Amino acid sequence: MEVQSRTFSFNFKSLLNLKKDAKIYIYPNLNGLGLALFIFFCFLISVFYENNSGLLVSIVIFFVFFISIFISHQNISKLDFICKDEYLVEAETVNSISFQILNSSKEKKINIDIEYDKKNVGNYNFNDRINFFNIEYKAKFRGKSYFNPITLKSIYPFGVMRTKVIFNPKSEIIIYPKKVLPSDELLKEFKIINIINADEFDGIDEFKNGDSFSKIAWKKSIINEKRYVKTFSDTEKLSNLILDLDKYPHIEFETLLNYSSYIVNYCFEKKLNLKIKHKEQELHLNDNNHSLNRILKYLANVKN
């Protein structure tokens, strides 16, 4: 799993899900426990043997230990987690889930590890007010999942104290079926074979006034000493496309959903209107991104 980061201009409109006031945990690591034991023994030696140098050493090291706690807390405090309330991803595909870390203080945050799904995915310095991250996410099956907790950890500055803060966004991850290209036979059954062939080469015709010079078939024009243009299918003639999920009982339902996911996305890219029918449900796809998301969410959770 990889995390990519980049600086991002601060925009309050992007604060869809802001997690603040998370608890900060501070505890010594193994190096810190070793240092604490060393301080304890130095103190015992200074008491039993009346050794002032041992007492001085224990006081100095204890002071360093205490300063480490204070700096560690400051280094990870005033960090907030920003994410979407909902993510829409494709099954069996590596997707990118984005989130932001907001540094509300004026100080830089140094040497902070980001942990997701119990895996350390990178070490970062938060030099800017807001930083933008992408986490790779892959789900095997369609349905609904949730954004796992994000943990920020640090052992700055002396490596003896570990501080961490856990953000639990609880954002929904909607996983729609993987896009699978249907066979030509099935495409004809769906009556959308023309979608796949739309905007593809159709033939050559004589040049007419108003034709685009970019479509001139130069080879044929030179041979015949006359202008010819390449012609293409007209996608605007395609309309009233209907995909009825109840019409194909011979196709395994999950496979049909994979085909449907491909068809829906392709129609959206080609700006073709499409109607999805299933039982008593009717969904309409147009050039609005909201209509696409609504259909993909339906395909993610639909039952046969």
Side-chain angles (χ1 to χ4, degrees):
M1 182 180 294
E2 296 181 358
V3 171
Q4 299 174 340
S5 67
R6 61 181 174 84
T7 58
F8 191 75
S9 58
F10 187 69
N11 182 2
F12 280 102
K13 292 182 180 179
S14 67
L15 307 187
L16 303 180
N17 191 355
L18 176 59
K19 302 297 180 183
K20 302 184 69 174
D21 303 325
K23 290 183 179 179
I24 297 176
Y25 300 90
I26 304 177
Y27 53 93
N29 56 13
L30 290 177
N31 293 333
L33 290 174
L35 182 62
L37 287 174
F38 182 73
I39 294 172
F40 178 72
F41 284 121
C42 285
F43 182 76
L44 287 180
I45 291 172
S46 66
V47 171
F48 285 107
Y49 296 98
E50 296 181 357
N51 188 322
N52 292 332
S53 60
L55 180 62
L56 180 62
V57 169
S58 63
I59 291 174
V60 170
I61 297 178
F62 179 78
F63 180 76
V64 172
F65 197 81
F66 179 78
I67 290 297
S68 178
I69 296 174
F70 176 77
I71 296 177
S72 297
H73 180 274
Q74 290 296 106
N75 189 54
I76 208 167
S77 64
K78 295 185 179 180
L79 291 176
D80 301 316
F81 182 82
I82 307 166
C83 65
K84 297 179 181 178
D85 287 320
E86 184 180 80
Y87 294 88
L88 189 61
V89 300
E90 182 180 357
E92 301 180 62
T93 305
V94 177
N95 302 270
S96 180
I97 292 184
S98 62
F99 64 90
Q100 300 168 38
I101 301 295
L102 174 66
N103 181 7
S104 301
S105 68
K106 295 180 180 180
E107 296 83 15
K108 294 179 181 180
K109 306 298 183 178
I110 301 173
N111 194 26
I112 294 179
D113 294 314
I114 295 180
E115 184 180 275
Y116 179 75
D117 202 18
K118 298 181 180 180
K119 295 179 181 178
N120 193 309
V121 293
N123 180 274
Y124 301 92
N125 297 329
F126 299 151
N127 299 321
D128 301 284
R129 180 166 172 76
I130 194 164
N131 298 271
F132 187 91
F133 296 88
N134 289 317
I135 286 183
E136 289 185 353
Y137 180 87
K138 184 177 182 179
K140 189 173 181 181
F141 303 105
R142 69 183 179 93
K144 183 170 69 173
S145 183
Y146 293 92
F147 202 145
N148 290 333
I150 289 282
T151 302
L152 305 184
K153 292 182 176 181
S154 178
I155 56 172
Y156 178 82
F158 304 124
V160 295
M161 298 300 298
R162 181 175 293 280
T163 53
K164 72 176 182 180
V165 57
I166 302 173
F167 297 103
N168 190 12
K170 297 181 180 179
S171 300
E172 287 188 354
I173 301 177
I174 309 299
I175 307 155
Y176 64 87
K178 181 182 179 180
K179 299 189 290 287
V180 175
L181 176 67
S183 65
D184 290 341
E185 180 182 354
L186 287 174
L187 288 172
K188 290 176 182 178
E189 258 188 75
F190 288 135
K191 299 179 181 179
I192 58 166
I193 187 64
N194 288 333
I195 299 177
I196 306 301
N197 295 326
D199 287 336
E200 293 187 355
F201 181 71
D202 189 43
I204 294 178
D205 199 0
E206 291 186 9
F207 182 87
K208 301 180 184 66
N209 288 334
D211 286 341
S212 173
F213 284 93
S214 63
K215 295 181 179 180
I216 291 179
W218 291 105
K219 186 175 180 180
K220 187 173 179 64
S221 299
I222 293 172
I223 293 173
N224 293 275
E225 297 182 350
K226 187 177 181 179
R227 285 180 183 173
Y228 288 88
V229 292
K230 299 175 184 178
T231 59
F232 297 85
S233 304
D234 186 3
T235 58
E236 293 182 358
K237 293 179 181 179
L238 298 174
S239 60
N240 301 321
L241 299 173
I242 299 175
L243 178 57
D244 190 345
L245 300 182
D246 298 317
K247 288 177 62 178
Y248 315 102
H250 58 286
I251 302 176
E252 198 272 327
F253 190 65
E254 291 300 321
T255 302
L256 179 59
L257 293 180
N258 293 136
Y259 295 158
S260 302
S261 180
Y262 178 90
I263 292 165
V264 168
N265 279 277
Y266 198 94
C267 287
F268 182 76
E269 290 175 5
K270 293 297 182 180
K271 299 183 179 180
L272 298 170
N273 293 333
L274 175 69
K275 181 192 292 185
I276 304 291
K277 296 177 66 177
H278 180 236
K279 297 181 179 179
E280 299 179 357
Q281 192 72 250
E282 283 193 7
L283 301 170
H284 297 268
L285 176 70
N286 50 43
D287 59 357
N288 189 300
N289 199 65
H290 177 73
S291 69
L292 173 65
N293 292 344
R294 184 166 178 253
I295 292 175
L296 293 179
K297 289 177 187 177
Y298 182 79
L299 295 179
N301 299 293
V302 65
K303 295 181 180 180
N304 192 8

